[in-house]
Amino acid sequence: MTIATAKEIGPLTAVLFVLYPLFDVGAAVYDLRSSRATGTSTLLYVNIAVSLITAVGVGVACASGIPAVLRVWGAWAVVAGLVQLIVGVTRRRMGGQWPMIISGGISVLAGGSFIAGASAADPSLTNAAGYAIPGAIFFLIAALRLGRGAKGN
């Protein structure tokens, strides 16, 4: 059983691909609440806005097929990854930012590969789904570590 083919995307796949950027919004909101004094709130607000726009964009792209989803998802991964990299690097003196830095770097590279994969003869969402799981884990670890650090100050 497949939930996505090269020509159409199943409802479960569409929902999961829309929910992931919304999960990113939730993690960024948590990060904002945990790190009010870090000076990175503007970038986190950018991440929230980009992820909200992406959730809508992926929903629309699902009607057009896998190449469209890969392009939207890839562009989001690049932008969100750059934001994560910048936030993580600017906060590294606080400690616990390596998961965010690693996640940001992976996102930038993966996003480029998703955009390139959209032009493949038989595009697939397999790599995008595999990217989502560790990305979510890295972002959550970084937010939790930052929350613990802020409580300790």
Side-chain angles (χ1 to χ4, degrees), residues 14-151:
V15 168
L16 292 174
F17 273 87
V18 169
L19 284 177
Y20 188 81
L22 296 177
F23 177 83
D24 195 51
V25 168
V29 168
Y30 179 82
D31 194 337
L32 272 169
R33 290 182 179 169
S34 300
S35 63
R36 293 184 193 269
T38 65
T40 56
S41 61
T42 301
L43 287 171
L44 291 171
Y45 283 117
V46 167
N47 192 42
I48 290 168
V50 168
S51 294
L52 286 171
I53 291 167
T54 299
V56 172
V58 168
V60 171
C62 283
S64 297
I66 289 176
V69 171
L70 287 172
R71 287 182 185 101
V72 172
W73 187 264
W76 169 67
V78 169
V79 173
L82 287 172
V83 169
Q84 287 178 355
L85 269 171
I86 294 167
V87 169
V89 167
T90 59
R91 295 193 309 201
R92 71 177 187 273
R93 71 187 177 289
M94 298 176 66
Q97 295 305 300
W98 287 108
M100 184 172 283
I101 293 168
I102 292 168
S103 177
I106 290 169
S107 290
V108 170
L109 296 173
S113 75
F114 301 147
I115 293 167
S119 300
D122 190 22
S124 168
L125 294 176
T126 304
N127 290 340
Y131 149 84
I133 295 166
I137 292 168
F138 277 129
F139 198 98
L140 187 58
I141 289 170
L144 291 172
R145 287 184 59 121
L146 183 65
R148 280 192 213 134
K151 287 178 186 173

